[in-house]
Amino acid sequence: MSEFTVLNPATERPVTTVAQADAEETDAAIARAVTAQQAWRAVAPGDRAALLRRFAAAVDAHIGELADLEVAGSGHPLGQATWEAGHVRDVLLYYSATPERLIGKQIPVPGGLNVTFHEPVGVVGLIVPWNFPMPIFSWGMAPALASGNTVVAKPAQLTPLTAIRIAELALDAGLPEGVLQVLPGQGSVVGQRLVDHPQVRKIVFTGSTEVGSQVMAGCARYIKRVTLELGGKSANIVFADSDLDRAAATAPYAVFDNAGQDCCARSRILVQHSVLDRFMELLEPAVKNVAVGDPADPGTEMGPLISAAHRQHVASYVPDGAPVAFRGSAPDGPGFWFPPTVLAPVGADDPAYTEEVFGPVVTVTPFEDEADAVAIANDTPYGLSGSIWTSDVGRAIRVSRAVETGALSVNSHSSVRYWTPFGGFKQSGLGRELGPDAPDAFTETKNVFIATD
Ligand code: NDP
């Protein structure tokens, strides 16, 4: 049996080793999930809801432990990791309301009545990336379970620890064996098997556009349902009429949150030409004040990158001679550190401007007017997120409608909430997660005609 050593990204020291599942073990887990699903879908809605609430309570009772695991295994700052563990609890509680609300319609027709039912799809394969191991795991897992499906989840090789622990908590809370299984292993082995196996009826994948495209092609073989959350290259658009102080003060957190390893990172700041100089004066201290350091320190705002290989990848976007306007700080010594970095001015063909860096690197580009801002924002194959800063309500709405992206914020740098839909336009993905309609993606609508004549 092969093992993977999880490293602490802040120290480069081993945290623990995790056994890696192979294709046969994946098949066995899928078989258990198929069996368990027959019983799970038959659990009375109120009882399924109660089990999910007990699961949420078990997570709540272990928030500190889960946060510590994420600090050690993923390098997330303690405050963020604590929030993330609480988020898993909240997502479970939100979707614990689903079982009792999975109601259909009755449609009068000549000679009878049609009724509709929301039937679970069956076994759901959940493929989770390393950047937000807890939240992204919960976004697929909670609505899938609530809708009567069973779940086989593959965490990222680099960051499996919290998902493994959360699945143990599910068992402790009384979820039956086989309803939620976490299978650590390689994407090309476990993830691929989930995609290829005919009895996995839906895949929820979050990760790179490249692998997402392969997953989608694999799902085509069995017309498997698929939700994809992929990359982003989002714009933070700052108009001259905005509260420039707030826009500049929050811009670092819009892109350097989780060390920039965030598909929603606003990694292109677009600033109206007339206020560019003033904006840069305000942005510089904001960037330099980001507290980068030991993730276990409660005051830390930004931790290390996930791995040495990823740091090398991020560094390739800031080669010698790159147009660095200014940078924040980062610790020396062990750990995969990279300082917050602002690039300006950048050429339109600079990879830091055109590609998803997935690290703490942001570009600043001026624009002339509203039409110019929208054109620049949309000049990317991605369309996941973004922000608009303006005091003109009409402009806020016009630009929101014109930017081709799934989750926008006006005069704010955050746009992801579990009770609102999340997902991308263009190559940023397919389908929507979160929000009240998420269970629709985990059920099939069945339509039954009942003759009355
Ligand atoms: P990947 O797309 O490679 O990995 C995401 C998940 O898919 C992981 O669990 C991975 O497993 C799994 N996987 C890999 N290959 C396959 C496969 N053939 N079949 C099924 N599952 C597979 O992303 P990376 O982690 O390599 O990151 C690369 C880039 O992707 C980042 O730099 C960023 O641009 C983007 N990304 C975007 C994310 C987002 O939130 N939208 C999240 C993560 C990455 P494992 O890694 O364990 O082998």
Side-chain angles (χ1 to χ4, degrees):
M1 179 189 289
S2 70
E3 290 190 325
F4 185 84
T5 301
V6 176
L7 293 183
N8 182 327
T11 63
E12 304 183 33
R13 289 201 206 106
V15 179
T16 187
T17 54
V18 175
Q20 303 292 282
D22 58 21
E24 288 72 37
E25 286 163 316
T26 308
D27 285 355
I30 294 167
R32 285 194 293 275
V34 169
T35 304
Q37 203 260 329
Q38 294 309 314
W40 180 241
R41 66 173 293 172
V43 173
D47 294 341
R48 210 182 315 136
L51 280 169
L52 291 172
R53 286 195 288 270
R54 282 178 55 180
F55 183 10
V59 170
D60 187 55
H62 293 83
I63 283 185
E65 180 195 342
L66 289 167
D68 288 345
L69 273 179
E70 209 67 287
V71 171
S74 309
H76 288 201
L78 182 60
Q80 181 184 321
T82 305
W83 179 88
E84 289 166 357
H87 182 80
V88 175
R89 171 205 56 213
D90 294 344
V91 171
L92 280 166
L93 284 176
Y94 181 74
Y95 287 110
S96 73
T98 294
E100 292 167 301
R101 286 167 176 73
L102 274 181
I103 50 175
K105 292 185 173 134
Q106 49 89 3
I107 307 166
V109 294
L113 176 72
N114 274 55
V115 290
T116 65
F117 298 88
H118 291 289
E119 307 289 10
V121 295
V123 176
V124 173
L126 182 54
I127 301 173
V128 182
W130 48 260
N131 62 332
F132 289 111
M134 283 195 277
I136 293 175
F137 175 49
S138 72
W139 297 354
M141 176 263 286
L145 294 180
S147 312
N149 306 281
T150 51
V151 171
V152 181
K154 193 210 87 66
Q157 252 192 313
L158 294 170
T159 58
L161 303 182
T162 43
I164 292 172
R165 186 68 187 115
I166 289 169
E168 290 170 359
L169 294 173
L171 281 179
D172 294 348
L175 265 74
E177 294 270 353
V179 167
L180 172 61
Q181 298 175 81
V182 168
L183 228 51
Q186 282 183 353
S188 56
V189 178
V190 179
Q192 191 68 52
R193 191 65 193 137
L194 291 172
V195 171
D196 291 341
H197 198 295
Q199 285 183 295
V200 175
R201 294 283 169 75
K202 173 167 175 117
I203 293 288
V204 179
F205 172 86
T206 305
S208 61
T209 298
E210 186 188 357
V211 176
S213 163
Q214 292 167 26
V215 165
M216 191 173 175
C219 287
R221 184 168 173 210
Y222 295 111
I223 321 294
K224 194 171 287 194
R225 277 65 181 141
V226 63
T227 300
L228 302 171
E229 294 295 352
L230 309 174
K233 191 69 187 171
S234 300
N236 191 356
I237 308 172
V238 182
F239 285 97
D241 65 2
S242 67
D243 179 342
L244 223 51
D245 292 283
R246 270 185 68 207
T250 57
Y253 302 98
V255 57
F256 303 144
D257 182 42
N258 202 28
Q261 302 165 124
D262 182 346
C263 48
C264 289
R266 279 80 163 155
S267 55
R268 292 183 298 151
I269 303 178
L270 312 183
V271 186
Q272 197 150 17
H273 207 282
S274 55
V275 293
L276 179 64
D277 291 345
R278 179 66 189 139
F279 181 83
M280 292 301 268
E281 281 169 18
L282 294 166
L283 182 64
E284 182 164 357
V287 168
K288 291 186 169 167
N289 285 337
V290 174
V292 184
D294 179 4
D297 181 336
T300 293
E301 295 176 312
M302 191 184 117
L305 295 171
I306 190 66
S307 65
H310 190 55
R311 178 172 59 180
Q312 201 176 359
H313 172 74
V314 171
S316 72
Y317 290 98
V318 191
D320 288 345
V324 175
F326 40 84
R327 302 185 99 158
S329 62
D332 294 325
F336 309 124
W337 303 102
F338 199 88
T341 301
V342 179
L343 300 179
V346 285
D349 58 352
D350 188 326
Y353 175 73
T354 58
E355 296 176 15
E356 183 176 41
V357 177
F358 228 58
V361 178
V362 68
T363 60
V364 182
T365 300
F367 66 86
E368 293 303 326
D369 55 20
E370 196 176 304
D372 195 24
V374 169
I376 298 172
N378 286 340
D379 187 18
T380 166
Y382 296 113
L384 190 55
S385 191
S387 290
I388 298 156
W389 293 85
T390 177
S391 57
D392 178 338
V393 176
R395 167 177 283 153
I397 294 172
R398 277 195 310 275
V399 176
S400 295
R401 297 293 306 273
V403 175
E404 298 165 340
T405 189
L408 275 163
S409 54
V410 173
N411 296 330
S412 163
H413 68 287
S414 75
S415 53
V416 181
R417 289 170 188 84
Y418 59 79
W419 61 98
T420 62
F422 175 64
F425 279 34
K426 301 192 283 187
Q427 292 179 32
S428 284
L430 186 71
R432 291 291 176 273
E433 298 189 281
L434 302 176
D437 299 330
D440 290 352
F442 295 96
T443 57
E444 300 280 14
T445 300
K446 181 180 287 166
N447 177 23
V448 179
F449 170 67
I450 304 164
T452 52
D453 295 344

